[in-house]
């Protein structure tokens, strides 16, 4: 039987703002995660969120704008404001970590200084599990760390932590490049996570901005750069 968390073709079409025939064709071609139930397609909300997350990871700016518009129309909540989610006490420039393992541990400890993350070891364990599934580092030297599913039970609110290391670290980027800019996304629910991930992906998709962030000499400067970059997206 279909759970309340599942979509049928018509419901998923409405959620994604696509024509139902297109959803049917995508499912028939194996392009959407779903299963047949009595001859009809059924889609898990969680699997659709993971599908959208993967699309975000592979997308260019035009695709990310489309994903953002889908997520914006699918809920009544406004899009997240990244510069407000970044807590000054959870921004470290420079960030003292030299190994993949220490990045995760210290970024979660940094996030906990906000008082909004109550169990940093649990978050670190969930982030490492997500990294083992597929690294979140991209080829421009940025990683967008997060657990596979949001952990609302250990969070006071949704927020982001940031660390910029003085030197690059091997972090699993596809082409073997080094990573030196690490965001930790702490979300309360799947839709909020996807929206944050899409917006942050758009921000770090600009090579000039990433170079400026990499060259920042203080946490205050990094926050100013992020605020200005976000304003460019919303103008």
């Amino acid at each position: 039987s279909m759970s309340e968390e599942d979509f049928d073709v018509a419901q998923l079409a409405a959620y994604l703002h696509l024509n139902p025939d297109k959803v049917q064709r995508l499912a028939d071609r194996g392009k959407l995660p779903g299963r047949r139930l009595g001859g009809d397609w059924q889609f898990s909300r969680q699997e659709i969120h993971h599908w959208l997350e993967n699309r975000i990871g592979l997308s260019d700016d035009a695709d990310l704008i489309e994903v953002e518009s889908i997520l914006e129309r699918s809920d009544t909540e406004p899009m997240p404001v990244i510069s407000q989610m970044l807590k000054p006490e959870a921004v470290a420039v420079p960030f003292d970590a030299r190994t993949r393992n220490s990045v995760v541990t210290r970024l979660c400890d940094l996030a906990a200084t906000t008082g909004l993350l109550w169990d940093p070891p649990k978050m670190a364990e969930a982030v490492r599990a997500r990294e083992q599934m597929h690294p979140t580092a991209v080829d421009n030297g940025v990683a967008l760390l997060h657990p596979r599913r949001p952990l609302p039970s250990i969070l006071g609110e949704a927020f982001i932590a940031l660390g910029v290391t003085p030197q690059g670290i091997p972090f699993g980027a596809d082409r073997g490049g080094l990573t030196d800019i690490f965001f930790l996304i702490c979300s309360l629910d799947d839709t909020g996570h996807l929206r944050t991930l899409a917006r942050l992906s758009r921000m770090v998709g600009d090579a000039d901005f990433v170079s400026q962030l990499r060259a920042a000499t203080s946490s205050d400067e990094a926050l100013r750069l992020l605020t200005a970059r976000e304003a460019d997206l919303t103008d």
Side-chain angles (χ1 to χ4, degrees):
S1 64
M2 200 165 103
S3 124
E4 290 181 9
E5 286 293 299
D6 291 336
F7 298 109
D8 60 20
V9 167
Q11 290 165 336
L12 184 57
Y15 183 75
L16 297 177
H17 296 270
L18 297 173
N19 184 292
D21 289 341
K22 182 165 186 180
V23 170
Q24 182 78 37
R25 287 196 301 274
L26 287 169
D28 289 342
R29 293 172 187 167
K31 302 291 187 182
L32 277 172
R35 56 193 174 280
R36 292 274 191 182
L37 187 68
D40 297 322
W41 281 106
Q42 176 181 328
F43 308 93
S44 156
R45 184 179 294 265
Q46 181 181 339
E47 289 175 357
I48 290 299
H49 280 169
H50 286 308
W51 174 77
L52 280 167
E53 183 179 277
N54 289 334
R55 274 194 68 187
I56 290 167
L58 299 170
S59 293
D60 59 19
D61 194 61
D63 288 334
L64 287 168
I65 291 170
E66 181 188 346
V67 171
E68 278 197 333
S69 70
I70 288 170
L71 294 167
E72 194 165 21
R73 291 181 306 220
S74 69
D75 206 325
T76 55
E77 293 292 317
M79 291 298 288
V81 180
I82 300 300
S83 54
Q84 292 177 6
M85 294 180 70
L86 278 157
K87 304 302 180 186
E89 62 270 39
V91 177
V93 181
F95 179 52
D96 181 23
R98 292 180 172 82
T99 65
R100 190 172 183 175
N101 198 46
S102 65
V103 164
V104 175
T105 300
R106 292 181 183 180
L107 199 54
C108 291
D109 287 344
L110 179 68
T113 64
T114 62
L116 299 171
L117 170 61
W118 305 320
D119 192 340
K122 183 172 181 177
M123 178 63 78
E125 180 184 5
V127 167
R128 288 191 183 95
R130 172 64 179 82
E131 290 293 325
Q132 286 174 356
M133 284 177 56
H134 191 275
T136 58
V138 289
D139 291 325
N140 64 354
V142 178
L144 305 177
L145 284 75
H146 55 269
R148 185 166 186 266
R149 294 297 307 277
L151 298 173
S153 64
I154 62 170
L155 294 171
E157 66 181 64
F159 72 100
I160 300 169
L162 166 65
V164 182
T165 56
Q167 68 289 315
I169 295 167
F171 212 78
D174 284 344
R175 297 177 188 171
L178 301 180
T179 304
D180 56 1
I181 299 173
F182 301 91
F183 290 91
L184 174 64
I185 302 173
C186 300
S187 300
L188 297 176
D189 56 67
D190 285 323
T191 302
H193 166 67
L194 289 172
R195 289 174 165 194
T196 304
L197 185 61
R199 175 52 54 97
L200 204 46
S201 294
R202 284 189 68 197
M203 290 173 67
V204 302
D206 182 89
D208 289 340
F209 165 69
V210 170
S211 295
Q212 291 170 2
L213 187 57
R214 181 170 288 127
T217 57
S218 70
S219 300
D220 286 346
E221 185 183 355
L223 279 168
R224 284 196 299 271
L225 288 166
L226 284 152
T227 302
R229 170 67 179 138
E230 186 167 33
D232 287 343
L233 293 184
T234 53
D235 283 348

